[in-house]
Amino acid sequence: MASSIREKVQQLRVATDEARDRADDAKRRLKEVEEREHKLEQSKSQLYRKLKLTEDDLDRVESSSDEKISRLERELGSARERATASESTAETLEQEIEIVEEKLGKEKADYDKVKQEFEETLQELNAL
């Protein structure tokens, strides 16, 4: 009977050791998960900051581009009117028109680029 009790005690010790090992393993895995979660939260925060900066840049560029585009369109209209009114200066005015159109195209391209960057950042954020 003492042998049976010793065996039971030994079995309980083994079971206790196994349970502790499982608990230690669970704690380790939990810590790893918490560390991954922390890193993901940091990444998320960085992406939110990047999104905010990109949104601010987009707003700034959009506002600036709208103003520049409006101004350049007015200049273009004015240049076209002057070219029509004066044949003697038509060649010079056509050069001005080309310059203004190039500026307008560049501003639109810059705006499209910033808008694309914003959309990509937003997609990255949504992927989280």
Side-chain angles (χ1 to χ4, degrees), residues 37-82:
E37 179 185 23
H38 179 71
K39 287 178 182 178
L40 285 172
E41 284 295 325
Q42 286 178 330
S43 178
K44 180 180 171 184
S45 292
Q46 289 172 349
L47 284 172
Y48 271 120
R49 281 192 295 274
K50 184 177 179 182
L51 175 64
K52 176 65 175 139
L53 291 174
T54 303
E55 285 176 337
D56 291 346
D57 285 348
L58 178 63
D59 289 344
R60 181 184 47 78
V61 169
E62 200 171 47
S63 175
S64 175
S65 292
D66 287 345
E67 292 171 12
K68 288 178 182 177
I69 288 169
S70 293
R71 182 180 49 81
L72 291 172
E73 286 173 342
R74 286 190 307 273
E75 287 179 21
L76 179 60
S78 176
R80 285 185 174 151
E81 288 174 11
R82 288 192 314 266

Side-chain angles (χ1 to χ4, degrees), residues 28-42:
R28 181 188 52 77
R29 288 191 318 251
L30 176 62
K31 184 177 179 179
E32 289 172 359
V33 167
E34 287 172 341
E35 288 172 2
R36 282 195 309 258
E37 179 185 23
H38 179 71
K39 287 178 182 178
L40 285 172
E41 284 295 325
Q42 286 178 330

Side-chain angles (χ1 to χ4, degrees), residues 20-31:
R20 281 189 185 132
D21 290 344
R22 287 193 307 272
D24 289 343
D25 188 48
K27 286 179 185 177
R28 181 188 52 77
R29 288 191 318 251
L30 176 62
K31 184 177 179 179

